[in-house]
Amino acid sequence: MPKFKFLVVFSIIFSSLFLSCVSGPKLTELSGDINVDLSAAEIYSVNPTTVLPGTMMYIAGSGFGDIPGVINIGGIDVTTFLEWTDDVIWFRAPEGLTPDSEVQVGYEIAESFITPAPEGSITVKWILDAGKFQADANEKFTKYGLEVAPVWMAPLYIKGEWSKSAETYGLKDAGWDGGSRQNMLNVAGTDIWMSEAIFTPEAMDTFDNMAMKFAFEDGDNETRNLSPYESDIACMLKKEWAAAIGASGDPITRMSEENTLFDADSRSITIEFPLKK
């Protein structure tokens, strides 16, 4: 299959899952005010572009202000938000979306369109307790030859890749440090960060049950003694996670019903660290 098709499929499937389908931290909600002026808003990107009702989504940009307003997706007003800052808005996809729904903030309309996910998709969630891993890193940094313990810097991202026939597809094609990294949401009042994904039936067929490698990155773009691709603490997390599940190199998981973490009732996979005993 041509490489570009893998990239298109990846952009579709790396989307957020229906939150109520899986267990996880409870997210707070903020109410928007229709009177908030959003005329200065600029949209840089929208993720994901394939969603279910309730899917966690975010709009990255600028000029959103610090007070939640009201945005519009496919002609439907969104008035409740998971996070609202001047440069990112997190919210859940509304019900009733149709293919090629526009995303609008103020007068700005995003270049990307939103499409409902098909039936049979598998929902996936990554949950990282950065606070617990920070404590672990504070004890293990000398094991990696570091003189001081590295510290997480917000924001956090997740990135992944699939390999087949000696070729690599996914985020690594844009470079581990490329703009294809997916934002993670910090659960208010905690050190927990989340990212969600939907794997469509087409994606599962395309990748044919291949294992997906994944890793994390944070806001530290300079402290890279262990790897040129991620910060020291993110590299430590990658290695510790891989060791915990018996993988060599990067941690891996399979996005299919054959995954041992797959829950048939919710058609979901929850991947979290530290691992549950």
Side-chain angles (χ1 to χ4, degrees):
M1 179 173 292
K3 184 174 181 179
F4 77 89
K5 185 168 183 180
F6 281 88
L7 295 176
V8 170
V9 172
F10 180 82
S11 67
I12 293 174
I13 63 177
F14 209 107
S15 55
S16 299
L17 60 83
F18 190 12
L19 187 62
S20 65
C21 291
V22 295
S23 60
K26 181 176 176 58
L27 302 179
T28 58
E29 294 185 340
L30 307 172
S31 296
D33 183 349
I34 196 171
N35 296 312
V36 171
D37 181 9
L38 297 174
S39 59
E42 294 186 22
I43 299 175
Y44 302 155
S45 63
V46 179
N47 285 289
T49 55
T50 300
V51 300
L52 293 169
T55 291
M56 283 174 54
M57 303 176 60
Y58 68 89
I59 301 171
S62 64
F64 301 147
D66 297 322
I67 301 175
V70 172
I71 65 175
N72 190 278
I73 313 292
I76 301 171
D77 284 342
V78 177
T79 60
T80 303
F81 304 92
L82 304 175
E83 182 180 71
W84 184 296
T85 68
D86 189 59
D87 55 10
V88 66
I89 301 170
W90 282 89
F91 58 98
R92 294 179 183 171
E95 295 186 7
L97 294 180
T98 57
D100 298 331
S101 292
E102 289 186 335
V103 177
Q104 183 170 359
V105 181
Y107 300 118
E108 183 85 346
I109 298 177
E111 294 182 0
S112 302
F113 296 100
I114 307 302
T115 298
E119 292 185 8
S121 298
I122 289 180
T123 57
V124 182
K125 183 195 306 190
W126 282 269
I127 303 175
L128 170 62
D129 191 327
K132 287 185 178 180
F133 185 73
Q134 180 68 65
D136 199 34
N138 291 343
E139 296 181 358
K140 296 182 177 179
F141 68 93
T142 56
K143 166 184 170 182
Y144 291 87
L146 299 175
E147 295 182 357
V148 296
V151 178
W152 285 112
M153 292 178 59
L156 269 62
Y157 310 89
I158 187 169
K159 51 196 180 180
E161 70 173 38
W162 293 260
S163 296
K164 184 176 184 180
S165 302
E167 292 189 80
T168 298
Y169 307 93
L171 290 183
K172 199 167 185 179
D173 284 304
W176 280 109
D177 301 316
S180 297
R181 298 178 303 184
Q182 295 291 312
N183 288 24
M184 299 187 76
L185 172 67
N186 179 217
V187 180
T190 76
D191 291 319
I192 296 174
W193 294 74
M194 299 170 55
S195 184
E196 303 173 343
I198 291 176
F199 276 68
T200 65
E202 179 186 5
M204 288 182 274
D205 289 341
T206 300
F207 291 107
D208 192 25
N209 199 33
M210 287 186 295
M212 191 195 83
K213 299 178 182 179
F214 61 92
F216 294 84
E217 187 52 275
D218 65 345
D220 184 355
N221 295 316
E222 298 181 0
T223 309
R224 304 203 167 194
N225 300 297
L226 302 179
S227 168
Y229 303 122
E230 53 260 323
S231 67
D232 289 348
I233 194 164
C235 186
M236 288 178 62
L237 171 63
K238 179 176 69 175
K239 293 179 180 297
E240 292 292 320
W241 196 325
I245 62 175
S248 59
D250 299 337
I252 60 173
T253 191
R254 293 190 182 278
M255 301 308 181
S256 74
E257 296 178 9
E258 297 179 21
N259 192 318
T260 57
L261 299 175
F262 176 71
D263 179 75
D265 292 335
S266 61
R267 292 195 58 79
S268 65
I269 297 171
T270 301
I271 306 166
E272 53 190 312
F273 195 86
L275 304 181
K276 283 190 173 182
K277 302 299 183 181

